Amino acid sequence: MAGKIRVLIAKPGLDGHDRGAKVVAQALKDAGMEVIYTGLRQTPEQIVNAAIQEDVSFIGMSILSGAHNTLFPKVMKLLKENDCDNIKVFGGGVIPADDIPFLKENGVMEVFGPGTPLTEVVKFVKENA
Amino acid sequence: MIDKSVIEISRFITKVENQDVEALEVLEKRLKEKDTKTRVIGITGPPGAGKSTLTNCLIRKLSKDSKVAVVAIDPASLFSDGALLGDRVRMQEHSTNPNVFIRSLSNRNCLGGLSAATPDIIRVFMAYDYDYVIVETVGVGQDEIDIVKFSDTVMLVLHPASGDDMQAMKAGVMEIADVFVVNKCDIKNEAEKTFNVIEYWVRMNPRDWNPPIVKTSAIEGEGVDILIEKLQLHHDFIIENPDINFRRNQLRAKHEITQKMQLLIEKKISQINPKEYDIMLEKVIKNQTRPLEAANHLLKGVLL
């Protein structure tokens, strides 16, 4: 029996807007994946713990508060510390284009800005699974 | 740092969930040398009754001095096979508690309220000496009752206005409850009505163990101490009356043997030559062969 692609969709930090995260979660579900949604206002520690317990292959983080340059690298660091940097990380939300290179340097695989077609996110996950 | 065993357990569960036969053999071997004391509590009830929120309350109390695992099952989409697993949302306060391990599962379109691999996943936590495994089923209707075969104690969570006494009389799910919970009891009058319906049902269906009915308000944490007390009472009862669970154990064993036979046969089926399969498929589509005939032909190649 083949395994399923498991993805954790998380909302790090303090913004309370999760429509985007939920839309992406739905799209991945409709593409046949098992998507774990953890709810609002998660710390990097909570996200990484959940990802490890759920044994996901991807973490997708949505952030609209502007704290991405702090929170994303923190998640990456925790994954590395726990020898779980096989888990791939992508992000979305409101992230200025200028910040994307910094995030990628820190190991974030892809950042999807506003208006990204859902098919593109699905394609990304499937191709990198 | 997260404990290494957590990562080990997590990866092991994935293999078991995918019904990797080798992993299942390792699991059986590990458990053979073990006298496990793990208590399995099943939580079932209709969608929106408050199963996850109540689970959250139980974790809060139990994890103070015990290791608690939670297996939370949500339904898969019939169309895409994907699933949105959202039970963690209500339990996020425990995600960094080293005594708590939460795993979300898709039911992978298995009927009965659990996924096919759930019993094996429960056993993984037994093998790793967890004190409690709380299994939260898919939100059930009237007949998703597999949970009874794999729990020591089954809690049925109902909410106010969840149906009149006719619903209670016909529902198979009523018969499996060891403890009834009327959640959302802050909705007072309606909660009272539901309580009365259950009480009537319990009196009409006397058993060796008459299930207690506990009123809770999970969101306020109300009634949880009494609930834990009742769960303990049921636990003591089955310890003192080991015969009571004979039927349950028999059901469990039957279910397990059947499921494992299916697994092994499925493995055989996956060995069918795809080319041969396509030929048969074509023939069935063109009405040159009947499905049963085709199945017989294909199976002969791998089973004998």
Side-chain angles (χ1 to χ4, degrees), chain B residues 11-125:
Chain B
R11 291 181 181 162
F12 192 40
I13 290 177
T14 303
K15 284 190 196 147
V16 167
E17 185 180 20
N18 294 331
Q19 297 283 282
D20 174 313
V21 174
E22 253 170 60
L24 291 171
E25 277 166 359
V26 172
L27 180 61
E28 285 199 350
K29 216 171 276 164
R30 275 193 82 137
L31 281 167
K32 211 178 251 174
E33 301 145 7
K34 229 180 171 90
D35 177 25
T36 81
K37 300 220 157 40
T38 310
R39 281 167 64 178
V40 184
I41 300 173
I43 302 188
T44 190
K51 295 184 292 297
S52 300
T53 315
L54 209 52
T55 303
N56 186 48
C57 295
L58 289 180
I59 306 171
R60 204 183 287 151
K61 301 269 179 195
L62 298 175
S63 68
K64 276 182 191 150
D65 45 19
S66 316
K67 288 186 70 144
V68 182
V70 177
V71 180
I73 304 146
D74 271 332
S77 154
L78 212 56
F79 301 108
S80 75
D81 272 350
L84 191 49
L85 312 174
D87 289 321
R88 284 191 92 96
V89 174
R90 317 253 178 260
M91 307 173 201
Q92 35 170 278
E93 62 178 275
H94 307 293
S95 48
T96 53
N97 182 341
N99 269 348
V100 181
F101 192 125
I102 303 170
R103 182 67 173 235
S104 317
L105 300 180
S106 154
N107 73 343
R108 298 200 173 170
N109 286 320
C110 177
L111 302 174
L114 307 175
S115 70
T118 303
D120 294 317
I121 293 169
I122 295 171
R123 245 174 269 122
V124 172
F125 289 112

Side-chain angles (χ1 to χ4, degrees), chain B residues 109-170:
Chain B
N109 286 320
C110 177
L111 302 174
L114 307 175
S115 70
T118 303
D120 294 317
I121 293 169
I122 295 171
R123 245 174 269 122
V124 172
F125 289 112
M126 290 178 168
Y128 282 90
D129 297 311
Y130 273 74
D131 300 301
Y132 291 92
V133 182
I134 302 177
V135 184
E136 187 190 322
T137 71
V138 170
V140 300
Q142 299 175 325
D143 207 27
E144 290 87 348
I145 52 178
D146 276 351
I147 185 72
V148 71
K149 301 171 194 162
F150 302 100
S151 318
D152 302 310
T153 302
V154 175
M155 245 170 78
L156 175 62
V157 185
L158 297 167
H159 54 91
S162 54
D164 58 13
D165 49 347
M166 260 324 283
Q167 296 298 333
M169 278 167 69
K170 68 186 180 188

